[in-house]
Amino acid sequence: MTTVDHSKQHTKIGSSSKPVTSSNLAQHSIGCIIADGTSIDGIIKADDYFRFDGALEGSLSCEKKLIVGLYGKIVGSVWANEADISGTINGDIETAELLILRKTSLIRGNIKAKSISVESGAICEGVCQIG
């Protein structure tokens, strides 16, 4: 289940009984997708695979794999077990496992990850702590 926290109010925003699957996402089922054109102010907590293509001002945590698509824009902190970033994060990002920065990613903040993969063209403005 994915929740958004607005002053202690929790709202279920997109987990369905039939997960959406996509072959370009390494055959993982996605528990929730926030589409381009959606804006959220607050806290998002996801306990399943999560794809974010909208705009968030707040924080996001994901217990499994987080995918921030090309149009995803986050202003705030991000924590995930694993993350695959193609969009923009203005804030710190931490992963317990692998962080992938795609060529279109822009990170303005500090990175802390167990391991990292960076494509040519990715931009990071901050301190990286790997290992």
Side-chain angles (χ1 to χ4, degrees):
M1 181 174 75
T2 302
T3 58
V4 176
D5 184 349
H6 290 286
S7 302
K8 299 181 184 175
Q9 174 186 359
H10 291 276
T11 306
K12 188 174 177 180
I13 60 171
S15 184
S16 66
S17 60
K18 293 183 180 180
V20 177
T21 60
S22 176
S23 60
N24 67 344
L25 298 175
Q27 299 297 321
H28 292 298
S29 62
I30 302 298
C32 183
I33 298 173
I34 302 295
D36 184 22
T38 304
S39 295
I40 299 172
D41 292 325
I43 299 168
I44 297 176
K45 296 177 183 178
D47 58 4
D48 206 345
Y49 292 92
F50 186 76
R51 181 173 177 105
F52 191 82
D53 290 297
L56 169 66
E57 189 162 331
S59 65
L60 191 156
S61 65
C62 180
E63 293 296 321
K64 291 191 179 175
K65 185 171 185 177
L66 168 67
I67 297 145
V68 177
L70 179 63
Y71 302 109
K73 293 181 176 126
I74 299 172
V75 177
S77 62
V78 173
W79 182 92
N81 188 54
E82 289 184 50
D84 187 332
I85 312 297
S86 296
T88 302
I89 298 175
N90 289 313
D92 296 343
I93 181 167
E94 181 176 350
T95 61
E97 298 295 330
L98 177 63
L99 171 63
I100 300 169
L101 299 180
R102 302 291 178 182
K103 64 182 177 182
T104 56
S105 65
L106 171 59
I107 311 296
R108 289 188 181 110
N110 299 321
I111 292 173
K112 183 177 181 181
K114 183 175 181 181
S115 61
I116 189 168
S117 171
V118 182
E119 291 182 353
S120 179
I123 299 171
C124 177
E125 299 171 355
V127 175
C128 292
Q129 182 181 348
I130 310 302

